[in-house]
Amino acid sequence: MFLALATSRGRALIDRRLYLPEQSWCTDPERRNAAGIPETVQFATKPRLAEEMITAALDAGITASWVTGDEAYGQDPQLRAALEARGIGYVMAVACSTRVRINHGRTPVRADTVAGRLPATAWHRQSAGNGAKGPRYYDWAWLHIGTGSHRHLLIRRNRSTGELAFYLCWSPTEVPLSELVRVAGVRWSVEECFQAAKSQVGLDHYQVRHWTSWHRHITLAMLALAFLTALAADAAPEPPADAHHPARSRDPITLTVPEIRHLLTAIFHPPAVTAARLLHWSNWRRRHQATARRSHYRRRTVDEPAG
């Protein structure tokens, strides 16, 4: 299990926990001893491990206004209560069968039943952030649940398939729909970190079967990814005022984690080309990527109907 920190300048994995199934690991002393698992480590559910990591990050001085996660964590009321106690807002995915209270908390009803009763005017088309090929547009609806004004059920509808996704939301202050949509879109930061960590720093390139060895490998990979992410953030220019519409200039894209790793590899293992040639190819690649991205964004803009 991993905890990712996402900001406007970058995202990286900042903590990890090794989940141990209760029956096959935690209650098997011989297996525990062979793997070097400390006696102090006891069984904990994934939501409890998530709560440990979030608490440790906040206690260490990490500043975060929101937490988001998938159904495995959104379904856990203790985790949601712990976030509320710390004043941290959340947008947590939940199952369609989740029961919420509407009509000022008087009427319990399934989330998918609520979605089926919404009028067409309740849905709003908004982007959950930029993807590889442009803004990720979905239809969104929200409604107050419970008795407070800061608690919502957020519903996402796929424009092509009609598939629905549901989120329980809470915030210490009132926020607009666009903010909840933004946070829901940030949940993919973990998957993006996994992809980068596996392809760039070897997160999954291990064959260890020991508690200490696993933690050493994973921690080193996380540190390497954080280092590359920090370099990319330092090299990046100020973001555009409108995050959904990147600049139309002919400049190359900003330095990415893969590009920085490529350049560092070339520095420490010099190829049979000059440094000037190496930088020329880096600029060429990033200009080509910028052209491709503009094309994707332009196509999305043309295909996106008004409204």
Side-chain angles (χ1 to χ4, degrees):
M1 294 178 52
F2 293 86
L3 179 68
L5 177 66
T7 74
S8 60
R9 302 191 66 197
R11 52 205 62 184
L13 302 172
I14 62 172
D15 204 353
R16 73 282 179 268
R17 292 290 190 278
L18 190 57
Y19 171 73
L20 299 175
E22 184 174 15
Q23 299 302 323
S24 58
W25 275 98
C26 290
T27 57
D28 188 337
E30 183 176 347
R31 195 175 190 184
R32 289 174 60 105
N33 183 63
I37 301 174
E39 294 182 359
T40 55
V41 176
Q42 301 299 321
F43 172 74
T45 63
K46 291 184 177 181
R48 294 292 74 71
L49 294 175
E51 184 179 341
E52 285 182 11
M53 289 191 290
I54 294 169
T55 299
L58 295 175
D59 289 346
I62 295 294
T63 57
S65 301
W66 295 94
V67 168
T68 182
D70 61 25
E71 288 184 19
Y73 310 100
Q75 297 288 147
D76 188 81
Q78 182 176 328
L79 175 58
R80 300 198 308 268
L83 293 174
E84 293 182 24
R86 299 285 301 242
I88 304 296
Y90 58 78
V91 178
M92 306 290 274
V94 293
C96 63
S97 58
T98 300
R99 300 184 73 83
V100 297
R101 289 188 170 273
I102 59 175
N103 297 330
H104 301 287
R106 294 190 296 268
T107 308
V109 62
R110 282 174 55 117
D112 52 0
T113 301
V114 172
R117 295 174 180 174
L118 293 174
T121 55
W123 296 94
H124 307 273
R125 186 158 300 169
Q126 294 196 20
S127 169
N130 291 330
K133 298 183 179 180
R136 297 172 293 166
Y137 283 103
Y138 295 91
D139 293 332
W140 301 84
W142 66 330
L143 69 156
H144 289 294
I145 57 176
T147 57
S149 61
H150 302 164
R151 203 176 299 277
H152 295 85
L153 173 67
L154 177 67
I155 308 170
R156 186 192 72 195
R157 184 175 66 190
N158 187 293
R159 296 168 52 206
S160 300
T161 66
E163 181 182 5
L164 300 177
F166 302 88
Y167 305 84
L168 289 182
C169 310
W170 179 85
S171 58
T173 60
E174 291 190 26
V175 296
L177 171 63
S178 58
E179 179 66 358
L180 298 183
V181 169
R182 182 192 69 81
V183 177
V186 171
R187 188 176 73 83
W188 293 105
S189 297
V190 171
E191 281 74 13
E192 293 172 356
C193 286
F194 286 158
Q195 181 180 359
K198 290 177 180 180
S199 62
Q200 303 302 319
V201 297
L203 181 73
D204 58 341
H205 297 177
Y206 66 88
Q207 296 180 345
V208 299
R209 295 294 184 271
H210 195 274
W211 176 270
T212 302
S213 302
W214 184 88
H215 281 84
R216 286 175 176 173
H217 175 87
I218 295 300
T219 303
L220 181 60
M222 290 170 52
L223 177 60
L225 178 63
F227 173 73
L228 294 174
T229 302
L231 288 181
D234 287 342
E238 290 297 322
D242 187 347
H244 297 310
H245 294 83
R248 297 178 179 271
S249 72
R250 296 297 175 181
D251 292 337
I253 66 170
T254 57
L255 284 167
T256 62
V257 165
E259 187 66 20
I260 290 177
R261 177 182 176 273
H262 176 83
L263 293 173
L264 288 176
T265 300
I267 291 173
F268 291 109
H269 300 280
V273 296
T274 64
R277 183 73 172 176
L278 177 66
L279 292 175
H280 170 79
W281 274 108
S282 175
N283 283 327
W284 183 89
R285 280 194 301 270
R286 292 186 291 119
R287 287 182 186 278
H288 178 75
Q289 291 168 336
T291 300
R293 184 173 65 179
R294 285 195 299 271
S295 177
H296 286 310
Y297 275 52
R298 189 178 301 113
R299 186 178 300 112
R300 281 293 183 91
T301 302
V302 171
D303 293 342
E304 179 62 27

